[in-house]
Amino acid sequence: MDSTYNNHIDYSKYQVDEVTETISDALFFPVYIGRVLVLNLVVFWILLSLFCIFFIDNTFLSFLYWFLAFIISIPSIILFSIVRLFSTIKSDIDKVFKITLETSKHVYEDAGLIKQQREESVPIKTTFSDVFKGVAIYVIRPSLKKVLQKRIKFLLGH
């Protein structure tokens, strides 16, 4: 497939690395979930350990308190992780959408190519919707393909 759409715009110069990174993280959802959950567990574990070290003098009671507090707090940690995960997902989706819109605006405002179309007597039927589709097909899709090829190589060990 050519990197131009029916409106003769060269989308190849609008590749965005930030979209690739965000999509890369989102595609490997178990790692995505694990990173949020593990980070919350580690932060809680460190805070609980510091509390036990500095505020409980008896070593046995410190271990007992740490263990019981950790076991009792696991449901709260999981719920907090789920809330953070949804927040992270929403933030990443918003980021990809904003970047796609910004890229679409830049493409749409690319007056040089539209002027060139006029000079070549190509009818200009370019709408923002057409440009957005072009960005999705020729900018976002290749980014996804690049991420998948990179990650699958990593997973397969090549």
Side-chain angles (χ1 to χ4, degrees):
M1 245 192 260
D2 187 11
S3 68
T4 58
Y5 194 58
N6 64 356
N7 51 18
H8 305 286
I9 294 175
D10 181 15
Y11 290 97
S12 62
K13 64 182 180 181
Y14 298 103
Q15 299 290 326
V16 182
D17 290 334
E18 192 176 353
V19 171
T20 305
E21 292 171 22
T22 303
I23 292 171
S24 171
D25 290 343
L27 280 178
F28 294 93
F29 205 63
V31 175
Y32 200 70
I33 292 171
R35 188 174 47 199
V36 172
L37 182 63
V38 167
L39 180 66
N40 288 336
L41 280 172
V42 167
V43 168
F44 180 76
W45 181 76
I46 289 171
L47 291 174
L48 184 60
S49 296
L50 289 173
F51 177 81
C52 289
I53 289 170
F54 291 114
F55 294 108
I56 301 175
D57 294 331
N58 186 317
T59 306
F60 175 74
L61 289 177
S62 179
F63 282 120
L64 184 63
Y65 178 80
W66 188 94
F67 180 75
L68 291 174
F70 187 75
I71 297 299
I72 292 170
S73 299
I74 285 178
S76 298
I77 295 169
I78 291 172
L79 287 174
F80 182 73
S81 296
I82 291 170
V83 169
R84 275 206 58 226
L85 178 67
F86 284 133
S87 174
T88 305
I89 290 170
K90 181 188 176 300
S91 169
D92 286 348
I93 289 172
D94 286 346
K95 184 192 307 182
V96 169
F97 189 71
K98 285 177 186 175
I99 290 170
T100 304
L101 277 176
E102 284 298 315
T103 305
S104 297
K105 285 180 188 176
H106 291 304
V107 172
Y108 193 71
E109 294 168 354
D110 196 347
L113 291 175
I114 294 175
K115 186 177 177 182
Q116 181 183 0
Q117 289 177 6
R118 268 197 204 124
E119 290 170 0
E120 295 172 2
S121 299
V122 175
I124 299 177
K125 299 178 183 175
T126 305
T127 64
F128 189 78
S129 175
D130 292 334
V131 172
F132 191 81
K133 287 177 192 172
V135 169
I137 292 170
Y138 297 109
V139 177
I140 304 299
R141 193 169 121 202
S143 296
L144 277 170
K145 186 176 179 183
K146 191 182 337 178
V147 166
L148 286 174
Q149 286 174 338
K150 183 178 173 184
R151 292 293 180 135
I152 290 173
K153 264 188 198 176
F154 174 73
L155 293 174
L156 296 176
H158 289 97

